[in-house]
Amino acid sequence: MKMLRTGRAWKITLAVLILGGVGAYAWQLNRSADAAPQFRTVKVERGPITATVSATGTLNPVTSVQVGTQVSGQIKELFVDFNSPVKQGQLVARIDPETFEYRVRQAQADADAARSAVGRAQVSLINAQRELNRTKELVSRNFVSPAELDAKQSTFDLAQADLKNAQSVVAQREASLASSRVDLGRTQIRAPVDGVVIKRSVDVGQTVAASLQAPELFVIARDLRDMQVEASIDEADIGRIRNGQRASFTVDAFPGRSFNGEVKQVRKSAQNVQNVVTYTVLITANNENGQLMPGMTANVRIVTDMRESVLKVANAALRFRPPGVAAVERGESKNDGAEARPAATKSASASGQGAQFRERLVAELKLDADQQARLDPILEDMRNKFMALRDMPEEARGRQSAAIRAESRLRIEDILRPEQKGRYAELVAEQGGRSGQQTRARVWTLDAEGKPRGIDVRVGLTDGSTTEIAGEGIAEAVELLSGTLTAGSTAQQPAKGGPPRMFF
């Protein structure tokens, strides 16, 4: 009886445990269903968008002249100081002239002695002329031998040579005198242009030594009303910069105030600092009121393109991937070798596109034989560099490819005539708009069942926060996914990263 009760208790306990497990499983399923991810959305908007390039630069006068000295000595007097206005030819400093005055006197004495030597040579020549004439008369009367006439002729010729030599010495001494007077005049430092002294590097009593390079005494800004910003543009952005583009900049001295200008020069000389390559771009800066000062740091925004009414969306929508999709895409990318086109096919396609672009350049720019011969090595070098990017990480590959495009565009522009460059810029922009790899992305929306559905779109301009998009199913007010919301948690932000890079 006792054993029967014990077996029955075990059966009851086992049944309770089974029922508890089933209930816990059902509760967990219900909880998982309730905790299904919810999505944050953003709407597609219509409006203007402006693509800009940001950089920093330094304000400098358009023309600044370094005033130096060609002679060495001690500064005896200074006639100007910082911020002093000067006129061309105005005396700004004087070097102690005493040493140079003595050199002028010495050169003057040497010139006088040379002139005296000319006088003596002239007297000797006249005397030799008389002796020669007398000897000729005596020879005609047979009073002296012809050998005596030869000797007098030689004496006369030597006297002529001595006179020419003395005259040459006079010219030499006069040139030395003139040089000494020039050096004496150079002890007076004069302003080479009208302007304002923005830098003074010497004081009275300081010794300056002019050797292979003239020492700097002053820096004179020709016109502080006309200034320029020398901005350093990254190599990845330099291909989008053109002369005449609008620009604005701010300086820390006037917070909240913006100054306008335009790009007036893109210098082709690269600056490499710690493996970072930049190019200098000059931007005009009107300074009629004189508030801007040389040396100020300017924060520059250059407008590279602008669209008035386009469909645009926040960059978060372009970066977002629904949970699970990113892992699947990564898995697919690892199997690209088995599922995607072979590398040889891609290379052939890229080569074909390059050949077509070359044919367009030749036909529409009317390149001559010499230009075509110089174009082929540039395109071949560009293709080889792109082929070498295949093994690089995606982020580094995108940045390096932009740098290769910018470099190649500059090299091609160098072989074009001025009338060809405008059309070439249009062809580059058109080619960039047709580039599939760099102008496509995928955004996500919810289908009728509330599940994420991908939409392939073309992307265009970006201002850093929103990007122009276009594609089937994209219209104003369409809601796109930009993040996820889970129960009891905050919004999950999309993966970090910048906006999609434009080809152009």
Side-chain angles (χ1 to χ4, degrees), residues 164-175:
K164 292 181 179 180
N165 181 65
Q167 291 173 341
S168 298
V169 171
V170 169
Q172 183 179 6
R173 295 292 185 265
E174 288 179 345

Side-chain angles (χ1 to χ4, degrees), residues 138-426:
L138 293 177
V139 169
S140 63
R141 296 180 181 182
N142 294 324
F143 290 157
V144 294
S145 66
E148 186 71 19
L149 177 61
D150 293 340
K152 296 301 181 181
Q153 183 65 47
S154 298
T155 303
F156 176 76
D157 293 341
L158 288 174
Q160 281 185 321
D162 289 342
L163 177 59
K164 292 181 179 180
N165 181 65
Q167 291 173 341
S168 298
V169 171
V170 169
Q172 183 179 6
R173 295 292 185 265
E174 288 179 345
S176 179
L177 175 60
S179 177
S180 298
R181 286 173 176 169
V182 169
D183 288 341
L184 178 61
R186 287 174 176 166
T187 60
Q188 296 182 349
I189 311 300
R190 299 183 179 276
V193 294
D194 297 343
V196 177
V197 177
I198 60 174
K199 183 179 180 182
R200 175 174 60 83
S201 305
V202 293
D203 291 303
V204 174
Q206 182 175 338
T207 300
V208 292
S211 55
L212 297 178
Q213 185 175 3
E216 179 187 282
L217 306 182
F218 305 93
V219 175
I220 298 177
R222 188 165 188 172
D223 188 1
L224 289 180
R225 296 173 301 177
D226 187 16
M227 301 185 71
Q228 64 187 14
V229 179
E230 298 181 5
S232 298
I233 305 297
D234 190 87
E235 60 178 333
D237 297 323
I238 194 64
R240 299 159 55 193
I241 306 299
R242 296 285 183 273
N243 289 345
Q245 290 176 336
R246 293 191 298 109
S248 61
F249 63 92
T250 60
V251 293
D252 294 339
F254 303 101
R257 180 174 179 183
S258 179
F259 299 86
N260 297 322
E262 69 175 29
V263 176
K264 72 172 184 178
Q265 186 183 58
V266 180
R267 293 182 176 173
K268 300 183 184 300
S269 176
Q271 307 293 326
N272 192 329
V273 180
Q274 297 181 349
N275 294 328
V276 177
V277 179
T278 59
Y279 293 84
T280 300
V281 174
L282 301 186
I283 300 167
T284 60
N286 189 359
N287 190 31
E288 289 291 341
N289 53 14
Q291 291 181 326
L292 299 176
M293 298 183 183
M296 285 183 171
T297 299
N299 302 306
V300 182
R301 287 179 73 249
I302 301 174
V303 178
T304 58
D305 202 351
M306 183 167 49
R307 308 283 170 80
E308 290 298 332
S309 180
V310 296
L311 295 176
K312 58 183 181 179
V313 70
N315 289 336
L318 295 167
R319 297 193 295 263
F320 174 73
R321 294 292 181 272
V325 174
V328 173
E329 290 182 348
R330 285 194 296 269
E332 291 177 351
S333 66
K334 292 180 181 178
N335 298 324
D336 280 346
E339 299 178 3
R341 303 187 297 176
T345 305
K346 295 181 180 179
S347 300
S349 175
S351 177
Q353 292 177 1
Q356 292 176 2
F357 187 59
R358 180 192 182 280
E359 292 176 0
R360 289 198 65 188
L361 291 179
V362 173
E364 300 197 23
L365 300 183
K366 296 179 175 56
L367 301 182
D368 55 32
D370 179 65
Q371 289 176 319
Q372 295 181 38
R374 297 168 64 186
L375 174 65
D376 290 337
I378 297 175
L379 296 179
E380 179 66 19
D381 182 54
M382 181 180 179
R383 188 181 70 84
N384 293 336
K385 288 181 178 179
F386 274 119
M387 293 291 291
L389 298 181
R390 292 179 298 176
D391 299 329
M392 296 180 64
E394 183 177 356
E395 182 178 354
R397 184 166 63 246
R399 186 178 183 88
Q400 191 64 25
S401 62
I404 294 173
R405 291 189 190 93
E407 178 189 3
S408 301
R409 289 170 191 165
L410 292 176
R411 292 176 62 186
I412 294 176
E413 285 183 356
D414 287 339
I415 70 175
L416 299 179
R417 296 186 295 273
E419 62 272 16
Q420 296 173 326
K421 292 183 178 180
R423 178 55 183 159
Y424 172 66
E426 296 176 0

